[in-house]
Amino acid sequence: MRSINGTGLIVAGLVATLAALLFPVWSYEDRSGTSLDRFDAETVSTQFGPLSALDREFITKVRLAGLWELPAGQQAEERGTTKAVKTAGEHLVEGHTFLDARVREVATRLDLELPSQPNPQQRDWLGELSDAHGEAYDEKFTNILRAAHGRVFSVVAEVRATTRNSLVRALADDANTTVLDHIKVLEGTGLVDFDELARDAASAAPAPVTRSPAPPGPADSPSPATPVSPSPTFSLPPPASRPKPTKDKGSKDKRSKRSREDKSSRPHAE
């Protein structure tokens, strides 16, 4: 009876040990439902490299951008009250005419379907612009388009950094150049409300894990910067010099011995 109980305890101990060894492997295994599992499931193979869900979303966004920003640029060329706003409209027309041709080429080679109409939000933006006139139009056009380009710019950067598809990578390069040009030309109008852009970005960002108090601001306004010119009498630092090498004791003793021998071999003065 004791033998049977002892065998049972040994078996139970072995089972418990095996379970302890296998649990970490099971708990860290990439099981169905994880982000990586969904990423693999949503990625398809093409002759130009894997095409992820983010890649396809990016291609769609480039097409949608052209569907509403190109007509917005055409409208700015006509309604803008300043040369800067009209120039921004010209850049939008040229840039999205180019990008739209590129994205349709990429979609054809990847066998992807593209939208043919702007989405509801983009149609609302076009409606706001159509209802505005004069200086109010200039401000609406500049800030609506600048905010939209800022959102697209971050998507372009993420896609360019992570895509494994050569066609998407090349399209991201073209989109990056075009979007950055549009951001700069819109800011060149002098009408961008950067405070509003910052507030929108802060409201869209996830809350930090821990909130640290902001550092105190300066008590007084800083004085204007004064340019400093180098003085012609400025003394230069001393030239760099290398310290003389130190000789070891053995070498010093040898030199002393040779010196004594030389003195002893010389004839003494009479």
Side-chain angles (χ1 to χ4, degrees):
M1 185 69 178
R2 290 179 181 178
S3 176
I4 295 176
N5 291 338
T7 303
L9 291 174
I10 294 174
V11 171
L14 291 175
V15 171
T17 302
L18 182 61
L21 292 173
L22 291 178
F23 179 76
V25 177
W26 174 85
S27 61
Y28 286 101
E29 184 183 8
D30 184 28
R31 299 184 299 279
S32 177
T34 64
S35 297
L36 183 58
D37 186 69
R38 291 195 299 271
F39 172 79
D40 291 337
E42 295 172 352
T43 299
V44 297
S45 298
T46 75
Q47 60 177 313
F48 307 101
L51 187 70
S52 69
L54 178 61
D55 294 338
R56 297 192 294 274
E57 180 185 0
F58 165 67
I59 293 171
T60 300
K61 284 183 179 294
V62 172
R63 170 64 172 173
L64 284 171
L67 288 175
W68 84 276
E69 291 180 22
L70 199 155
Q74 293 171 333
Q75 188 183 67
E77 289 181 289
E78 300 173 359
R79 292 196 184 184
T81 65
T82 67
K83 176 62 177 174
V85 172
K86 292 180 180 291
T87 299
E90 293 172 3
H91 279 245
L92 261 67
V93 172
E94 294 175 1
H96 284 289
T97 298
F98 165 72
L99 268 187
D100 194 65
R102 286 282 291 113
V103 74
R104 285 188 282 110
E105 173 192 357
V106 169
T108 299
R109 300 179 72 179
L110 293 174
D111 196 24
L112 296 176
E113 185 177 354
L114 293 175
S116 59
Q117 295 292 330
N119 63 32
Q121 184 182 49
Q122 293 166 341
R123 289 196 292 270
D124 289 343
W125 286 334
L126 287 173
E128 286 186 50
L129 294 177
S130 297
D131 293 338
H133 300 277
E135 294 181 357
Y137 174 84
D138 293 342
E139 293 183 4
K140 274 190 177 295
F141 166 79
T142 301
N143 286 284
I144 290 176
L145 269 296
R146 173 58 180 82
H149 278 80
R151 298 187 191 101
V152 172
F153 198 47
S154 61
V155 176
V156 174
E158 183 180 2
V159 170
R160 182 60 181 84
T162 60
T163 185
R164 295 174 287 168
N165 189 283
S166 59
L167 288 183
V168 174
R169 193 176 301 119
L171 180 63
D173 286 339
D174 292 335
N176 181 74
T177 302
T178 303
V179 173
L180 182 58
D181 171 71
H182 292 175
I183 287 176
K184 289 181 176 180
V185 76
L186 287 165
E187 293 174 351
T189 63
L191 300 173
V192 174
D193 187 347
F194 289 101
D195 290 337
E196 185 64 25
L197 287 176
R199 285 192 292 268
D200 288 345
S203 62
V209 177
T210 58
R211 294 181 179 273
S212 300
D220 301 318
S221 299
S223 57
T226 304
V228 179
S229 301
S231 171
T233 59
F234 183 81
S235 58
L236 295 176
S241 60
R242 180 180 300 174
K244 294 182 180 180
T246 57
K247 301 293 184 181
D248 58 6
K249 184 177 180 181
S251 300
K252 184 176 181 181
D253 292 343
K254 289 180 181 179
R255 287 201 307 273
S256 299
K257 182 178 180 181
R258 284 198 300 269
S259 177
R260 289 195 299 271
E261 290 176 352
D262 292 342
K263 287 181 181 180
S264 63
S265 62
R266 294 176 187 172
H268 295 281
E270 294 295 336

